[in-house]
Amino acid sequence: FLLNRSSDLNKKTNIRNFMKRFFVIIFIALTGAGMLCATEPNTNKTIKIHSVGEVEVIPDMATFNIDLNCLDVNLANSKKCLVEKSASLIKKLQSSGIASKDIMTTSVNMHKSYTWQNNKRVFEGYKSSTSIFVTVRDVNKLEAIYSDLLENKNAEVGGLNYTHSKIDSIKNEAYLNALSKANDIVDKLLTRLPEKNKEIIRILNGEYSSPAIPQYRGYNELGLAKADMSSMDEGSVVSINKGTLKIQADLYIEYSIK
């Protein structure tokens, strides 16, 4: 009886060991199959296009900066000077048709100013300054306003840039232009390939340098304002050529071709 029972136990142990090995083999086989599926190469064919759309418009707005400075050995007098200059300038701008909301003070600074004399650092006074950002919504008024400011000895004028009141809709038009150009390019490529059908699977847009005011790289290339000062007589108006405004939009488009 003891011998028979021992034999039965051995058989059960052998069966358990066999089943363990069997499941291990199945698990390894399934894992291997999964690895083969994961490393199977993707057979989808794609084309990636970088397209730039461009729209040219006549600008109808302009912006520029005005810097005011006062220097006095007395701190109170320096502050008073700056307040008076700022008030006078803002009043003049408003009389030229610039709304208060389009005259923005961007900075106010005050510090001690020194100069070098006989190899020594000499205190020359308290320097106070302010910067004002101006938006001209009627570009036809720009020449008269800009010329008047240039004659103001207290004001330093610069940073003239052009923009458009409908810049967002023009930008959208440039994006549509970029998309049309990309589609035309892919259609031409498909005439040389076995695949004949395309499908857009991804679109990314590029950002321009400043969302509010486009940044320009040169007079002739992107229509910066150009002031011709060479033949100016005293009291004359600065001649400004506003040119055209080029709005660009970048699109990165990925196509699946079949």
Side-chain angles (χ1 to χ4, degrees), residues 4-240:
N4 291 336
R5 187 171 183 179
S6 176
S7 177
D8 292 338
L9 290 173
N10 289 334
K11 287 179 181 180
K12 290 180 180 180
T13 301
N14 291 335
I15 290 171
R16 289 194 190 97
N17 292 335
F18 173 79
M19 293 302 293
K20 288 180 180 179
R21 288 195 296 270
F22 179 76
F23 284 121
V24 169
I25 292 170
I26 292 177
F27 176 77
I28 293 173
L30 290 174
T31 305
M35 292 174 63
L36 289 173
C37 291
T39 56
E40 184 179 352
N42 188 358
T43 58
N44 292 334
K45 296 181 180 179
T46 62
I47 295 177
K48 295 180 181 178
I49 299 290
H50 173 210
S51 180
V52 180
E54 184 177 273
V55 177
E56 287 193 25
V57 294
I58 302 298
D60 64 357
M61 293 173 56
T63 62
F64 57 86
N65 299 311
I66 304 173
D67 293 327
L68 295 175
N69 298 279
C70 285
L71 180 66
D72 198 288
V73 293
N74 183 280
L75 178 60
N77 289 341
S78 180
K79 292 167 64 177
K80 181 181 178 182
C81 169
L82 187 65
V83 170
E84 291 176 350
K85 283 185 179 182
S86 298
S88 176
L89 177 63
I90 291 173
K91 185 177 180 180
K92 181 178 285 290
L93 289 171
Q94 290 174 336
S95 66
S96 299
I98 307 298
S100 298
K101 66 177 182 178
D102 294 325
I103 305 171
M104 181 174 64
T105 301
T106 57
S107 67
V108 177
N109 299 295
M110 183 168 289
H111 60 272
K112 294 180 180 179
S113 180
Y114 295 87
T115 185
W116 286 93
Q117 295 179 4
N118 300 323
N119 295 324
K120 291 183 179 180
R121 189 167 177 252
V122 179
F123 174 72
E124 61 177 352
Y126 294 94
K127 186 174 184 179
S128 56
S129 62
T130 184
S131 294
I132 299 173
F133 184 79
V134 181
T135 300
V136 181
R137 298 190 183 276
D138 184 356
V139 76
N140 295 320
K141 296 180 179 179
L142 180 62
E143 286 187 352
I145 294 172
Y146 211 74
S147 298
D148 191 26
L149 289 171
L150 288 176
E151 293 177 2
N152 188 336
K153 296 180 181 180
N154 295 326
E156 296 180 7
V157 189
L160 178 60
N161 275 315
Y162 283 102
T163 184
H164 199 281
S165 57
K166 297 181 179 179
I167 194 74
D168 290 335
S169 60
I170 296 170
K171 186 71 176 180
N172 291 337
E173 186 178 344
Y175 277 124
L176 293 175
N177 183 292
L179 179 60
S180 296
K181 288 172 62 176
N183 285 332
D184 291 342
I185 291 171
V186 176
D187 287 339
K188 290 178 181 179
L189 290 173
L190 291 178
T191 62
R192 304 292 183 91
L193 297 173
E195 293 76 19
K196 299 304 176 186
N197 299 314
K198 69 178 186 294
E199 180 182 353
I200 296 176
I201 57 178
R202 184 177 303 146
I203 298 180
L204 297 174
N205 66 303
E207 297 296 331
Y208 62 120
S209 56
S210 174
I213 302 171
Q215 300 297 312
Y216 308 112
R217 293 190 293 272
Y219 291 133
N220 297 329
E221 184 181 0
L222 293 176
L224 248 181
K226 186 177 181 180
D228 184 5
M229 310 274 294
S230 58
S231 59
M232 284 182 59
D233 297 324
E234 186 175 352
S236 65
V237 176
V238 177
S239 175
I240 296 178

